Amino acid sequence: GGLLCAAAAAGPPPRSYPHSAVLDGAAAYLLRWGRRGSALAFRLEVRTRGYVGFGLSASGGMASADIVVGGVERGQPYLQDYFTDENRVLKKDPQQDYRLEYAMENSTHTILAFSRELHTCDTNDKSITESTVRVIWAYHHKDMGEAGQNYHGSNRGTKSLRLLNPEKEDVSSASLPYFDLTNKDVPVPDKDTTYWCQMFKIPVQHEKHHVTKVEPLIQKGHENLVHHILLYQCSSNLNDSVLDYGHECYHPNMPDSFLTCETVIFAWAIGGEGFTYPPHVGLSIGTAADPQFVLMEVHYDNPSYTEGLIDNSGLRLIYTPVIRKYDAGVIEAGLWVSLFHNIPPGMPEFVSEGHCTLECLEEALGAERPAGIHVFAVLLHAHLAGRAIRMRHFHNGEEQKLLAYDDEFDFNFQEFQYLKEERTILPGDNLITECHYSTVDRIRMTWGGLSTRNEMCLSYLLYYPRINLTRCASIPDIMEQLQFIGVKEIYRPVRTWPFIIKSPKQYKNLSFMDAMNKFKWSRSEGLSYNELVLKLPVNVRCSKTDNAEWSIQGMTALPPEIERPYKTEPVICSSSSCLRCSLFLTLSFVVHITASTIGNIGPFV
């Protein structure tokens, strides 16, 4: 392979890699990484003496990926920048943007350290942003030169990570007390996907304590089986009888008590770490106002239908009697989960918006915290049709920087994103959760609902100080949705849900759901419908704990006039390729270079 820039110095590897993730089940491939100004530095430690492949991909597959391959062959380090087209054909990138910094091979492992600018101006590279990144990896026991592109067989895979998550101050919690919420001998069914729900009672601390950290406890050997874990706060009006047994979540026979657990207080996903609260904030436990009952949802992923698996994974909550300055709260913002949220089939792109309205925030903050609340982390939540989610923030009608976003949303990788800087939400603000979906592969309507084949459009805001506001959401008006498909009248009074249609004849005695499915959706009809639903008046949801409500709840509001789509900030890119460093610097002072200009320098392979 061609050496990049200069032969990599065989000196000691840099220690500036605060993040790490094991990419494979066998722990043979370790990735470490860290931010360095406008670049990202990577270090791969892989159990092979052949080549090592690493890449960034939109889909998690080999198609249209940005790939680097390297190794040490006969004592000579090599690192080469490649890309693949939509047919997965590997091509050498004419603009080499990965810079080799260190390479070492011993009797068992190959170690490579290299860096790359976040934005390289190269159309064959993927920009690295705060969105989820699908990292692809591979390795082979032979080097590239020995047999060209050796097929890497089963030594390959993909993992979703957030490469630009801000670093957390890791305060040592070794000496602090903790309690575990773990499943007890759950028989994992021999099917692709299982969601298992178990209710727990927070062990009673007779006085106030603060949870400072939540960590995953994954049973050894089950690292690829346990896909994600969510912890929900439940109604405090339950009694201990709900603790007796676990059950499949979202199941018709699921216990009613599970339906009272709606607010996510912790989320972990495969590849992720635990969650540490900022030093001045904690999750309060032990008082009457705190969570008493919680529901843990574990997503098991068993694509090989393995039988006889028994799991005891769960969570560890580390707490302290030393009370921190503020209690953390969680607000669920976005679209209230209901059939009023629906997405036509066959749509490559459909946008839904959920409103945390000015009216709701005005009332709740005005009464409880006129100085505003401070958001420090956000979880963006949708289901399998979700492709991108943005949390838009307006102050007195003027748009602020995005509160959080994920333009490469991956349902199987959901975690709270720490904000780089805390964001204050004041009376006079409003928030919009904007969700982008693709239903190209579906032939029936997709409905708002709990199951993974249904959809959601939610943001969970972690903030302090805690106020009595648990949900700030909206429901779009239903009547204009019915008129869109030609419904004239429904049977009144409405005694059933979903209600029954009276006329016209083609929908007579059908439910709202059946009529929407009967309507012949084309892409252009879907687009017109999308325009309509974004303008519909919304019903305001503005809830307190245990289903109490602020007085604004149930009022109708008009969605604010906003610019669509959201205008993203322009990206400043720079190339780290040695061949082009001086050329690029000269040019960048003279002329604004577009990505396509750079992409056309040099012959394509």
Side-chain angles (χ1 to χ4, degrees):
L3 280 181
L4 243 193
C5 297
R15 305 250 183 275
S16 54
Y17 305 99
H19 306 288
S20 65
V22 175
L23 300 192
D24 65 325
Y29 197 126
L30 175 68
L31 164 69
R32 300 182 188 275
W33 75 94
R35 179 87 180 253
R36 279 202 215 141
S38 63
L40 207 56
F42 299 95
R43 178 181 159 103
L44 310 177
E45 301 172 14
V46 186
R47 198 186 304 140
T48 182
R49 301 194 65 210
Y51 77 74
V52 172
F54 174 80
L56 310 172
S57 153
S59 63
M62 275 288 286
S64 308
D66 171 8
I67 293 170
V68 61
V69 177
V72 179
E73 188 174 6
R74 297 190 192 92
Q76 281 296 310
Y78 62 94
L79 188 81
Q80 200 86 59
D81 186 352
Y82 290 91
F83 67 96
T84 53
D85 59 19
E86 58 275 18
N87 300 319
R88 306 206 289 274
V89 176
L90 191 67
K91 300 178 178 184
K92 188 172 157 187
D93 194 332
Q95 184 180 315
Q96 293 283 314
D97 285 302
Y98 288 87
R99 179 180 288 157
L100 183 61
E101 295 173 353
Y102 174 79
M104 201 261 309
E105 186 180 72
N106 61 22
S107 58
T108 57
H109 281 69
T110 297
I111 297 175
L112 296 173
F114 52 88
S115 62
R116 200 207 88 174
E117 291 291 324
L118 302 177
H119 311 288
T120 61
C121 327
D122 181 350
T123 48
N124 299 321
D125 290 347
K126 272 191 73 63
S127 266
I128 299 169
T129 68
E130 286 169 39
S131 297
T132 298
V133 178
R134 289 164 182 79
V135 164
I136 55 175
W137 57 270
Y139 62 92
H140 196 279
H141 65 279
K142 286 185 175 169
D143 276 300
M144 271 302 250
E146 291 177 73
Q149 292 161 33
N150 293 301
Y151 187 63
H152 37 62
S154 60
N155 294 328
R156 64 193 173 104
T158 178
K159 196 182 202 75
S160 287
L161 296 169
R162 230 177 232 113
L163 294 176
L164 292 193
N165 224 347
E167 284 150 44
K168 311 177 283 290
E169 301 164 55
D170 201 15
V171 186
S172 170
S173 49
S175 57
L176 290 176
Y178 60 84
F179 57 88
D180 294 344
L181 309 176
T182 51
N183 281 327
K184 298 284 176 282
D185 297 330
V186 170
V188 180
D190 53 345
K191 60 178 185 179
D192 203 8
T193 302
T194 302
Y195 292 87
W196 186 263
C197 280
Q198 172 75 50
M199 191 81 84
F200 295 92
K201 191 174 190 177
I202 299 284
V204 179
Q205 317 296 332
H206 292 293
E207 62 218 41
K208 185 180 179 84
H209 289 72
H210 268 146
V211 172
T212 59
K213 189 171 187 180
V214 188
E215 294 177 339
L217 293 177
I218 307 303
Q219 182 175 324
K220 205 156 177 44
H222 285 191
E223 291 79 6
N224 286 343
L225 176 70
V226 180
H227 225 279
H228 72 242
I229 301 179
L230 294 174
L231 192 65
Y232 298 87
Q233 180 169 343
C234 307
S235 164
S236 50
N237 304 328
L238 301 171
N239 61 42
D240 291 6
S241 64
V242 301
L243 303 171
D244 296 343
Y245 60 101
H247 199 285
E248 270 197 56
C249 320
Y250 315 122
H251 191 277
N253 305 336
M254 166 177 104
D256 289 345
S257 59
F258 287 12
L259 296 169
T260 73
C261 312
E262 294 180 309
T263 302
V264 174
I265 52 177
F266 171 74
W268 169 86
I270 192 163
E273 307 291 312
F275 184 84
T276 306
Y277 285 86
H280 51 299
V281 187
L283 173 68
S284 181
I285 54 172
T287 79
D290 298 333
Q292 320 278 317
F293 293 93
V294 291
L295 182 77
M296 184 172 76
E297 168 190 310
V298 180
H299 169 190
Y300 293 112
D301 188 41
N302 185 8
S304 52
Y305 300 91
T306 308
E307 293 179 23
L309 292 170
I310 304 286
D311 184 65
N312 293 282
S313 298
L315 300 172
R316 171 161 293 173
L317 281 73
I318 296 158
Y319 63 94
T320 174
V322 182
I323 303 302
R324 294 180 165 192
K325 190 169 179 188
Y326 298 108
D327 290 345
V330 186
I331 295 170
E332 179 189 289
L335 264 170
W336 196 63
V337 179
S338 75
L339 300 174
F340 293 50
H341 174 212
N342 47 68
I343 306 160
M347 297 299 292
E349 161 100 337
F350 190 91
V351 180
S352 301
E353 287 175 354
H355 297 270
C356 174
T357 59
L358 178 85
E359 293 81 359
C360 175
L361 287 174
E362 193 96 53
E363 183 179 10
L365 288 171
E368 300 229 332
R369 183 74 185 174
I373 54 173
H374 307 284
V375 178
F376 60 88
V378 177
L379 171 74
L380 302 169
H381 183 74
H383 285 175
L384 291 167
R387 294 295 176 270
I389 310 178
R390 296 186 186 133
M391 181 64 160
R392 299 176 70 171
H393 176 205
F394 300 80
H395 180 59
N396 294 334
E398 197 164 312
E399 182 143 25
Q400 311 296 300
K401 222 175 123 184
L402 285 177
L403 192 65
Y405 69 92
D406 192 344
D407 291 335
E408 304 275 352
F409 175 76
D410 179 355
F411 171 70
N412 291 319
F413 183 68
Q414 304 198 35
E415 292 199 311
F416 276 97
Q417 286 172 241
Y418 295 90
L419 302 192
K420 276 202 199 67
E421 292 158 357
E422 293 178 355
R423 182 78 65 93
T424 306
I425 310 289
L426 294 159
D429 287 10
N430 66 290
L431 304 168
I432 300 177
T433 306
E434 170 189 296
C435 299
H436 296 245
Y437 302 98
S438 168
T439 57
V440 167
D441 55 349
R442 301 188 180 192
I443 53 172
R444 298 173 71 76
M445 292 293 289
T446 297
W447 301 95
L450 298 177
S451 147
T452 56
R453 295 289 291 172
N454 296 139
E455 265 315 324
M456 292 189 177
C457 179
L458 296 171
S459 308
Y460 293 96
L461 309 179
L462 272 185
Y463 73 94
Y464 68 89
R466 182 171 69 182
I467 60 171
N468 197 354
L469 177 63
T470 55
R471 177 179 290 125
C472 181
S474 69
I475 313 175
D477 181 69
I478 192 82
M479 284 314 168
E480 289 193 51
Q481 297 183 35
L482 288 168
Q483 285 161 11
F484 182 87
I485 62 164
V487 170
K488 298 276 190 289
E489 55 182 331
I490 61 172
Y491 285 105
R492 293 182 190 279
V494 174
R495 288 208 172 89
T496 60
W497 176 253
F499 44 76
I500 305 300
I501 294 165
K502 194 171 181 181
S503 73
K505 197 163 74 206
Q506 81 252 34
Y507 298 138
K508 190 172 171 65
N509 294 336
L510 290 184
S511 72
F512 163 53
M513 295 175 80
D514 291 337
M516 290 291 266
N517 272 322
K518 189 174 181 186
F519 183 74
K520 292 203 168 13
W521 290 100
S522 63
R523 278 198 187 166
S524 62
E525 293 281 12
L527 283 170
S528 308
Y529 183 65
N530 202 164
E531 275 181 37
L532 169 82
V533 292
L534 292 176
K535 294 191 185 112
L536 291 180
V538 299
N539 185 296
V540 175
R541 304 275 103 190
C542 193
S543 320
K544 301 180 179 180
T545 45
D546 287 337
N547 297 328
E549 297 166 358
W550 288 96
S551 66
I552 197 77
Q553 172 122 326
M555 308 283 258
T556 300
L558 279 171
E561 299 268 321
I562 59 165
E563 200 173 345
R564 289 194 192 92
Y566 172 80
K567 281 222 175 353
T568 46
E569 293 169 33
V571 161
I572 296 158
C573 59
S574 56
S575 165
S576 64
S577 159
C578 281
L579 295 173
R580 303 178 201 286
C581 292
S582 53
L583 166 71
F584 184 80
L585 287 171
T586 320
L587 283 173
S588 58
F589 289 119
V590 182
V591 61
H592 172 70
I593 293 193
T594 62
S596 57
T597 324
I598 284 289
N600 292 335
I601 298 176
F604 275 103
V605 175

